[in-house]
């Protein structure tokens, strides 16, 4: 099924699902359409990664149900899960490129494996992506001879060669300095504005999730809540989320008002 | 404390356990190899595209190994083959002499020594290469792209090694015999050049078939065991040398076992 076929239906439907071996955690429920944007926000990146893998169909869920394009994830075999990566891409946190081939070959590798186009088509797709990446003189280098930011951008660009409907990215800004964060942010924004691929990202960074301007699913293992916009998240009364906002020094309108009228944080 | 103080039951217990472990190892190795080599029977991506990886493996394992193989074959031709000819030509007929040389040097020594060189050169490199990729998470990254990594990495390596082992073994046999005959002619009499023509008559079609099967099996063992152990590396970098060492030792043992079993077919 390609994105055109699936526009009318939800790409992913999650109902009270918990990752395998995490029966005590809060169940997650949400629906994600092709091309949609969603941020999974929470204090524990490792836990969010488990939820992300479950939602993307990388791993079967422990309880509840996850349906990808109407298909029950629990009943999928290994080969079906692999095929699905052409529609639902996944980028793990801190995963390196393949060290034995250069940047360009890293981009083309998976697309060639899945036979998504002939060589000329793949080269054209790769060139389109390469134009967006900085440090052009390093594109044909082995990953060990690339800058950190270029390496990170190649990792993000690699699944785009498969033109998935949705791309799951674990903590995309992990370990980046301010300048590199801006560059990765720009690239993510380009992916979204291109309109072919939706983004589902996990993060523990509230400012990033607010700046992303999409739906935000808060999840800390004990509770979860869906917010349709950053403004709605800032109005939230969820105690765990309020603590997170406080810890990351995010000033909400309501807090600003309290501050102006002499109220203090407890 | 001497060995005599160990109870017989303990010796039987240890021997039994070691035998079961060895059989279990061979079973797992066979299952791994079978799953990789029979992928063409299944469905999905990645079938029949690995031609360039097979060629790359042949270049690395076959062509790049030619200088080493040449030096060893020339040295053995001078020391072993020429000596055999000089020693045996006075006590046996030309036909028997060539039969002895073809059975020992061409059909036994050449495949074994080629297998040793390939194990030390390519087997260890493959185990380290895959082990490092596995340890650094590069393989996990490719799995996120929907690639069947055992199939993608193992199949071309096995096929490349089977082909390289066979070709190098033929090359080794030719060099050792030509150098041996030429050197013996130089030391003894120019009449010894006749052995080059008698040699071709002393190897029958059945011998030739066994030679091909034996070399193919050796190549299969070297590739499969190196990949099997490369994929067994976990998260710790210390596992890479451990698995490499085990791969080399197990390959040598199994090459000898297969070589021994092949005698039964004669």
């Amino acid at each position: 099924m390609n994105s055109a076929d699936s526009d009318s239906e939800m790409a992913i439907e999650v109902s009270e699902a918990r990752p395998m071996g995490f029966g005590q955690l809060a169940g997650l429920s949400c629906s994600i359409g092709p091309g949609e944007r969603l941020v999974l926000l929470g204090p524990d990146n490792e836990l969010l990664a488990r939820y992300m893998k479950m939602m993307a169909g990388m791993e079967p869920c422990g309880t509840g149900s996850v349906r990808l394009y109407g298909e029950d994830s629990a009943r999928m075999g290994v080969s079906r899960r692999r095929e699905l990566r052409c529609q639902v891409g996944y980028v793990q946190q801190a995963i390196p490129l393949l060290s034995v081939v250069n940047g360009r070959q890293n981009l083309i590798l998976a697309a060639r494996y899945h036979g998504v186009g002939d060589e000329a088509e793949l080269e054209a797709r790769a060139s389109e992506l390469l134009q967006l990446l900085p440090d052009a003189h390093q594109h044909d280098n082995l990953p060990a001879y690339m800058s950190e930011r270029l390496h990170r951008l190649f990792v993000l660009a690699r699944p785009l060669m498969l033109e998935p409907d949705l791309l799951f990215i674990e903590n995309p800004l992990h370990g980046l300095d301010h300048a590199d964060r801006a560059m990765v942010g720009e690239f993510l924004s380009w992916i979204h504005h291109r309109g072919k691929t939706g983004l589902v990202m996990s993060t523990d960074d509230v400012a990033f999730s607010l700046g992303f301007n999409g739906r935000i699913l808060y999840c800390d293992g004990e509770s979860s809540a869906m917010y349709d916009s950053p403004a709605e998240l800032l109005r939230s009364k969820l105690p765990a989320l309020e603590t997170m906002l406080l810890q990351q020094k995010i000033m909400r309108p309501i807090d600003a008002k309290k501050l102006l009228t002499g109220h203090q944080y407890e | 404390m001497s060995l005599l103080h160990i109870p017989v039951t303990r010796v039987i217990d240890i021997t039994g356990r070691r035998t079961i472990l060895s059989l279990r190892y061979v079973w797992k190795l066979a299952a791994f190899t079978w799953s990789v080599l029979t992928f063409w029977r299944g469905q999905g991506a990645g079938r029949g595209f690995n031609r360039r990886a097979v060629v790359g493996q042949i270049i690395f394992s076959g062509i790049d190994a030619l200088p080493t193989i040449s030096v060893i074959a020339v040295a053995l031709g001078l020391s072993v083959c020429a000596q055999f000819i000089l020693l045996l030509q006075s006590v046996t007929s030309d036909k028997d002499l060539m039969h002895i040389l073809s059975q020992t040097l061409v059909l036994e020594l050449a495949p074994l020594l080629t297998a040793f060189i390939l194990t030390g050169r390519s087997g260890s490199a493959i185990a380290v290469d895959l082990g490092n990729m596995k340890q650094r998470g590069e393989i996990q990254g490719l799995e996120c792209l929907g690639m069947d990594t055992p199939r993608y990495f193992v199949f071309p390596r096995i096929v490349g090694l089977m082909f390289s082992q066979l070709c190098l073994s033929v090359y080794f046999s030719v060099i050792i015999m030509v150098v041996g005959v030429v050197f013996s002619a130089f030391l003894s009499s120019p009449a010894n050049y006749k052995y080059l023509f008698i040699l071709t008559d002393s190897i029958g079609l059945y011998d030739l078939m066994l030679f091909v099967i034996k070399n193919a099996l050796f190549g299969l063992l070297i590739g499969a065991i190196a990949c099997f152990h490369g994929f067994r590396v976990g998260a710790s970098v210390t596992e890479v040398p451990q698995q490499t060492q085990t791969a080399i030792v197990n390959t040598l043992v199994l090459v000898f076992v297969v070589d021994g079993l092949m005698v039964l077919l004669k």
Side-chain angles (χ1 to χ4, degrees):
Chain A
M1 191 188 299
N2 58 36
S3 59
D5 298 333
S6 54
D7 276 348
S8 57
E9 61 181 75
M10 283 297 156
I12 297 173
E13 285 168 293
V14 184
S15 168
E16 275 303 303
R18 295 168 180 85
M20 191 80 89
F22 287 85
Q24 76 283 9
L25 295 181
L28 213 61
S29 298
C30 68
S31 301
I32 311 167
E36 213 178 304
R37 283 199 289 186
L38 174 73
V39 175
L40 207 59
L41 174 69
D44 185 346
N45 275 316
E46 214 171 307
L47 184 68
L48 293 180
R50 294 304 302 267
Y51 276 114
M52 291 269 283
K53 284 197 180 84
M54 176 191 79
M55 288 162 73
M58 294 279 287
E59 293 173 359
C61 56
T63 58
S65 85
V66 175
R67 300 185 77 80
L68 294 117
Y69 295 98
E71 207 176 331
D72 189 354
S73 161
R75 289 165 189 247
M76 283 179 193
V78 179
S79 57
R80 176 67 190 123
R81 283 184 201 285
R82 285 196 186 111
E83 283 170 23
L84 203 63
R85 298 283 74 85
C86 290
Q87 292 162 275
V88 181
Y90 198 93
V91 179
Q92 273 188 312
Q93 181 181 308
I95 279 291
L97 294 171
L98 187 63
S99 57
V100 292
V101 292
N102 65 25
R104 187 183 294 270
Q105 288 304 316
N106 258 291
L107 274 188
I108 295 175
L109 201 72
R112 190 184 284 146
Y113 177 89
H114 288 285
V116 293
D118 58 28
E119 280 298 312
E121 209 175 317
L122 297 184
E123 280 292 339
R125 267 192 216 187
S127 298
E128 185 198 352
L129 285 169
L130 286 171
Q131 278 177 356
L132 294 158
L133 305 184
D135 308 328
H137 62 287
Q138 293 183 9
H139 290 178
D140 291 324
N141 286 0
L142 288 176
Y145 299 98
M146 283 178 189
S147 62
E148 175 57 35
R149 64 176 175 181
L150 182 62
H151 193 282
R152 184 70 67 91
L153 289 172
F154 262 112
V155 170
L156 293 176
R158 210 161 50 158
L160 294 177
M161 287 290 292
L162 303 173
E163 307 228 312
D165 295 336
L166 280 171
L167 178 59
F168 281 70
I169 308 172
E170 283 179 16
N171 206 5
L173 303 184
H174 163 76
L176 293 176
D177 61 25
H178 190 73
D180 292 348
R181 285 166 74 100
M183 199 162 275
V184 170
E186 263 177 44
F187 188 70
L188 294 173
S189 166
W190 174 82
I191 296 174
H192 175 67
H193 287 110
R194 197 174 62 140
K196 290 180 183 172
T197 304
L199 288 170
V200 181
M201 299 186 281
S202 69
T203 184
D204 60 346
D205 185 337
V206 182
F208 172 70
S209 65
L210 294 176
F212 193 56
N213 203 21
R215 285 196 301 158
I216 301 168
L217 178 57
Y218 175 79
C219 175
D220 60 11
E222 288 173 7
S223 54
S224 68
M226 176 68 89
Y227 302 99
D228 287 332
S229 66
E232 200 178 311
L233 179 128
L234 289 172
R235 288 196 295 271
S236 170
K237 294 270 190 265
L238 197 67
L241 183 56
E242 281 190 310
T243 309
M244 206 173 159
L245 290 170
L246 201 60
Q247 281 170 345
Q248 296 188 19
K249 299 186 176 70
I250 303 291
M251 181 73 82
R252 305 184 297 177
I254 190 169
D255 298 326
K257 199 174 168 187
K258 276 182 192 172
L259 210 62
L260 288 172
T261 55
H263 285 80
Q264 296 294 317
Y265 287 115
E266 288 169 8
Chain B
M1 182 68 84
S2 72
L3 271 175
L4 294 173
H5 289 100
I6 300 172
V8 177
T9 50
R10 178 84 182 121
V11 174
I12 294 171
D13 180 43
I14 292 169
T15 313
R17 278 173 197 277
R18 294 292 301 172
T19 309
I20 290 169
L21 280 177
S22 303
L23 289 175
R24 194 180 290 172
Y25 170 81
V26 172
W27 173 254
K28 280 183 186 171
L29 177 67
F32 172 79
T33 312
W34 181 254
S35 70
V36 171
L37 293 183
T38 55
F39 74 84
W40 47 269
R41 299 193 325 173
Q43 300 265 313
R47 292 190 298 145
F49 109 94
N50 282 339
R51 204 179 305 118
R52 77 176 67 192
V54 173
V55 172
Q57 188 62 46
I58 290 171
I59 291 171
F60 170 68
S61 298
I63 295 171
D64 290 355
L66 280 175
T68 317
I69 292 278
S70 303
V71 170
I72 294 173
V74 168
L76 284 173
L78 295 173
S79 60
V80 179
C81 186
Q83 277 199 62
F84 257 134
I85 295 170
L86 295 173
L87 286 171
L88 294 175
Q89 68 183 166
S90 56
V91 293
T92 185
S93 67
D94 289 347
K95 199 180 166 193
D96 287 345
L97 172 60
M98 279 300 108
H99 183 69
I100 292 169
L101 286 181
S102 65
Q103 291 298 315
T104 53
L105 298 187
V106 176
L107 301 179
E108 284 299 326
L109 192 67
L112 267 180
L113 280 179
T114 310
F116 290 169
I117 293 163
L118 278 191
T119 304
R121 206 181 161 276
S122 305
S124 57
I126 289 171
V128 170
D129 190 28
L130 289 180
N132 280 331
M133 282 185 206
K134 183 91 189 301
Q135 188 270 328
R136 284 195 295 255
E138 292 169 27
I139 286 183
Q140 214 178 343
L142 295 182
E143 276 165 7
C144 287
L145 293 166
M147 293 170 71
D148 182 351
T149 49
R151 174 189 302 181
Y152 179 74
F153 285 111
V154 180
F155 183 75
R157 281 165 173 75
I158 288 182
V159 173
L161 274 167
M162 286 167 82
F163 187 75
S164 301
Q165 165 75 29
L166 181 60
C167 294
L168 287 176
S169 201
V170 171
Y171 176 76
F172 190 99
S173 306
V174 171
I175 296 286
I176 196 173
M177 291 309 296
V178 170
V179 169
V181 169
V182 170
F183 194 54
S184 73
F186 173 73
L187 292 178
S188 170
S189 150
N192 282 2
Y193 285 120
K194 67 183 173 201
Y195 292 131
L196 287 176
F197 306 100
I198 303 172
L199 179 70
T200 48
D201 299 332
S202 63
I203 301 174
L205 193 64
Y206 186 68
D207 288 333
L208 214 57
M209 206 176 69
L210 284 184
F211 180 81
V212 172
I213 292 171
K214 184 190 276 189
N215 279 299
L217 276 176
F218 285 176
L220 177 76
L221 280 175
I222 297 165
I225 295 173
C227 295
F228 180 66
H229 285 278
F231 272 96
R232 276 182 133 184
V233 170
S236 169
V237 74
T238 56
E239 292 172 48
V240 178
Q242 287 168 357
Q243 290 296 336
T244 307
Q245 183 207 41
T246 317
I248 292 173
V249 172
N250 289 356
T251 307
L252 293 179
V253 170
L254 282 172
V255 160
F256 272 117
V257 170
V258 168
D259 194 46
L261 291 174
M262 292 291 284
V263 174
L264 299 175
L265 296 175
K266 284 193 174 173

